[in-house]
Amino acid sequence: MFQVPLPLDRDGILFRLRFTTLAVGTVCCPLFGFLFCVIWSLLFHFQETTATHCGVPNYLPSISAAIGGETPQRYVWRFCIGLHSAPRFLVAIAYWNHYQSCHCAHPRYPRLCRINFTLNLLENIALLLLTYVSSSENYAIHENSFILFITSALGHMLLTCILWRMTKKHTERKSYKWKLLLFLFNLVTFSVAVCVYFHHNWYCEAGAYTIFAFLEYLVVLSNMAFHMTAWWDFGNKELVVSSPPEDKRF
């Protein structure tokens, strides 16, 4: 017997998405864009994206060269970052509400929550800026956007670990452990990358820029992995679009 399909909003719910699915999709967008741009640059634009001002041999493109120098890499990267930015803002608000719901008697806790939320927003905004304004189009804006991005990203990671301890969330070992490890890894890798970058500029040694580019990849990947820890933080949550209860309708 043919069954009549049930109405879409039979229980008032029009859309339901597990937060874990949202987290995976949000991280996979920049991850795909990053891998595509690097691999495509190596295969089809090797000379253009690995050239340095020193003229010494280099075997890996920097991220700026891979994502903003040639097409179609530039278009793919911009599409992926633009697509993932809206869910990133949503996750930032989710973390803000999460911290507000936690009980902490420390007098500086509310201020640290506000700073952490601001840094989270700035990280996403700076990423959009350095994505859509390439170094070849406007080097000053691209450079300052990168400085803002890495500063806000490291600050957000550090404050997240601090807030996790202040609210006793460090007892949830898996999420806190990975947050702390990824923050330390990101900080150390970025520091070494900066040293290698200046070493390359000062001495123009063959292969130095290749090491810098590889370290740059690790910084980006560890940043993505840090944001992926939302998988554990909101694993039992859902994004739902539904009708409000009768007593709460305006």
Side-chain angles (χ1 to χ4, degrees), residues 177-209:
K177 181 186 75 172
W178 278 107
K179 280 179 170 60
L180 185 60
L181 288 176
L182 288 167
F183 162 67
L184 293 174
F185 179 82
N186 192 275
L187 177 63
V188 172
T189 306
F190 174 71
S191 301
V192 176
V194 171
C195 294
V196 174
Y197 177 79
F198 283 111
H199 180 85
H200 163 75
N201 284 343
W202 292 338
Y203 301 105
C204 286
E205 289 187 5
Y209 203 75

Side-chain angles (χ1 to χ4, degrees), residues 61-82:
S62 67
I63 293 180
S64 294
I67 68 175
E70 305 293 333
T71 56
Q73 299 96 300
R74 181 165 64 244
Y75 303 140
V76 171
W77 178 252
R78 289 177 177 179
F79 174 78
C80 290
I81 294 302

